[in-house]
Amino acid sequence: MSPTVPQARQTLQREWGAVLELLAALEPGQWRTPTRCSDWDVAQLTRHAVWGVSMEADAVRRLRLAQEGRADGRQLAEHATSQETRGALGGTAAELLDELAALGEADPARPLPMPYGDVPLGVALDVFVMEAGIHGDDFRDATGQQHALADDVVASTTAFLTAFLPVLAAGSPAVPPDGTSFALVADSLRISGRWSGGALLIDDVPDPAVTVTGDDTSVLLYALGRLTPEHQGLRLDGDRDLARRFKSFVPGP
């Protein structure tokens, strides 16, 4: 079940607050530390987060005020200083929290005008929590910290993957043969799917070609391309080559 607006707001306040504390403690040179997000260092990932969080705030505002148009985010200049970049993220995070507080309890089926189309509010809240929790982990990883994903982040990330893995697969030029199947299994989640007619279907697959098993954090980070299948927190049963090629079939986010 997706979080309510107040629940999502509480999670986002915690997750983005932790990111802001981490950024405040960085030495100047650490802003150029590479992250596991392809081609992004800490500064670039922070600018991406500014765009994403400001876009989320704009989407909630448009829903709340019944404004037309698609949500858009704030583009921060590449030459922005580290202080300006952190300040921009803090400002946009506060803006998102304010918009959610103003929205209050709301029907989760109401459409949120995201850039790529209307998304039910409940689904969008899962996306917001997933983005905050996973990018928070990206920042921690870049600075040598390890931290298990919180239970609410695990729940929303699982919901996100269940809903959006077929969408991500549809955007890939690489399509495995029909019948190719997988399962992602952890303490509190199981996601399985198979390809049929060139499309990925999330389905109960009793005998998948490969099963990737581990703790919640490791399995979700693998599914999101943050960990390789050889990571010590994962166990593979079945087609190891398919496990290695999984993100070529289901790219992003």
Side-chain angles (χ1 to χ4, degrees):
M1 179 180 294
S2 297
T4 64
V5 172
Q7 288 170 339
R9 184 181 183 278
Q10 184 176 36
T11 301
L12 294 169
Q13 185 173 32
R14 182 194 71 223
E15 293 295 325
W16 287 122
V19 169
L20 290 167
E21 288 183 10
L22 182 153
L23 295 176
L26 294 182
E27 298 293 335
Q30 289 181 287
W31 284 82
R32 295 303 173 192
T33 303
T35 72
R36 60 192 178 193
C37 298
S38 180
D39 299 325
W40 285 350
D41 59 21
V42 169
Q44 291 166 317
L45 179 57
T46 308
R47 291 198 297 270
H48 166 75
V50 169
W51 180 87
V53 176
S54 60
M55 179 274 292
E56 293 167 358
D58 187 44
V60 176
R61 182 185 307 108
R62 289 175 186 276
L63 171 64
R64 184 172 63 84
L65 301 178
Q67 293 179 342
E68 296 184 356
R70 295 275 162 219
D72 197 6
R74 175 186 175 189
Q75 296 283 358
L76 197 62
E78 291 187 12
H79 57 73
T81 66
S82 58
Q83 184 175 2
E84 290 170 339
T85 303
R86 180 184 178 276
L89 181 58
T92 55
E95 184 182 1
L96 174 59
L97 296 176
D98 287 347
E99 286 296 335
L100 290 170
L103 180 63
E105 293 285 1
D107 182 353
R110 292 180 65 185
L112 208 64
M114 300 290 276
Y116 41 81
D118 287 348
V119 175
L121 174 62
V123 175
L125 292 175
D126 278 322
V127 175
F128 294 0
V129 169
M130 181 277 296
E131 290 278 357
I134 298 301
H135 280 324
D137 198 71
D138 292 332
F139 283 113
R140 287 190 294 271
D141 177 76
T143 54
Q145 303 177 38
Q146 292 186 337
H147 177 76
L149 298 176
D151 289 346
D152 46 10
V153 173
V154 168
S156 284
T157 305
T158 301
F160 167 83
L161 289 170
T162 301
F164 284 94
L165 280 178
V167 178
L168 298 173
S172 174
V175 180
D178 279 3
T180 300
S181 59
F182 67 89
L184 308 173
V185 181
D187 302 330
S188 59
L189 67 98
R190 187 182 194 279
I191 304 171
S192 59
R194 58 186 174 84
W195 274 264
S196 177
L200 173 59
L201 306 176
I202 299 301
D203 198 1
D204 183 17
V205 180
D207 188 23
V210 65
T211 300
V212 181
T213 307
D215 60 88
D216 290 337
T217 297
S218 296
V219 170
L220 291 174
L221 292 179
Y222 162 77
L224 292 166
R226 268 65 173 182
L227 297 180
T228 68
E230 289 77 22
H231 186 267
Q232 62 182 5
L234 299 172
R235 186 181 78 245
L236 305 182
D237 296 298
D239 188 341
R240 302 179 74 86
D241 183 61
L242 173 58
R244 295 186 185 98
R245 300 180 64 197
F246 180 74
K247 290 309 291 181
S248 67
F249 300 134
V250 190

